[in-house]
Structures are given as C-alpha cells and as structure tokens.
Amino acid sequence: MHGQHARPTSTVFGPAPTAPTPPPPPPRGQVGAKHSRRVGFAGRLRRRLLAYRAIDFLSTHIPEHSGPGEECLLLVHVRQVVGQVHYRACSDCARGVITALVIDERFRSTGLANRALSHLRSRHPGLSWCSTLDLRTTRDLLRRMSIPTVPAAPHCSHAFPAAA
C-alpha cells in the first residue's frame, strides 16, 4: 500500500479517494501517437476535403524548349506544388492533349486528379481532349473522364508554323 498512508481515510474533509481512471482508447481508425496520420475512412475523408478546399490551380506556360504551346497546370497546397498536369491546347484545331499527370502520393485517391481535369475542361471550353498517357495509374481516370488515349501526340500545324 505504498502511498496510501498520506491519504485521508475519512470523508469529513472531502470526498473519498477514488482510483485513477485509465485514459480513453484512441478513436477508431487512429493508431499510434496523437498526431499520427489517420487511416481508414476518417483519414480518406479528411484528405478529400483538403483536396477540394485548400488546393489552388495555377496555369503556367512552359518555355519553348519543351515544345510550342506546352502548358502546365500546377496544383498548389500552402505554397507547395502537390500535382502537375502538362498539356497542349490549340484553339484553332479545337484539340487538347494531356501529356503528363503527376499527383503527390498523399493526394491520390482523393479526387484531385478528377478535379484538375475538370478544371482544364472548364478553362478551355470547346476543346476535345485526348491523352498520350498509358500508365496503369491514369488509365481508369481517363476512362472515367471520357478522354481517349492516343499512341502519340497528334501533329498540329498551328503549333509548328512553317519555317520561312
């Protein structure tokens, strides 16, 4: 009974001593430390809300060394680039070609790639989009978005003017 000798035995001076209560178990889906990454449904929902609320889209033009008309849509979260969509768009041909799609690992399966491609469609209305990507990770996304895959980027005579 170590430590019990200093406790009062009567209830005249206060309530009777009670045994300490154990801390509550961690919430379902959270394991490890208090601030560890959440897993399960709650973590996926949190990342999805973050992807829809806190991501900014910035469009940039890539210099001519990568090809004429090459542009990039940057997905930015708190001054950090978490994704990129490289594409070419020609309003004369009414065609857009997606050449690369990169999403940070923690934002995969959150709908961010779907949102980025929808943003491209709304930014360039009237263009028919296709893609040169044939990766396993993007194949289902492009099929869901009804974007056909072509073996090579179609040649656009407007992007490559004839040399004089």
Side-chain angles (χ1 to χ4, degrees), residues 8-71:
T9 56
S10 73
T11 59
V12 175
F13 298 107
T18 60
T21 59
R28 204 171 118 211
Q30 183 177 356
V31 291
K34 181 179 179 181
H35 297 288
S36 67
R37 175 161 284 205
R38 293 178 180 163
V39 295
F41 178 74
R44 285 193 309 269
L45 181 62
R46 182 179 171 277
R47 284 192 304 273
R48 183 172 288 254
L49 288 174
L50 183 69
Y52 274 81
R53 190 181 67 205
I55 301 293
D56 294 322
F57 295 109
L58 301 174
S59 184
T60 62
H61 179 70
I62 299 176
E64 298 297 326
H65 73 277
S66 61
E70 184 81 19
E71 295 188 33

Side-chain angles (χ1 to χ4, degrees), residues 48 51-52 107-117 141 144:
R48 183 172 288 254
Y52 274 81
F107 285 102
R108 291 191 183 152
S109 300
T110 60
L112 185 58
N114 189 358
R115 185 173 175 223
L117 294 180
L141 170 69
R144 281 193 313 266

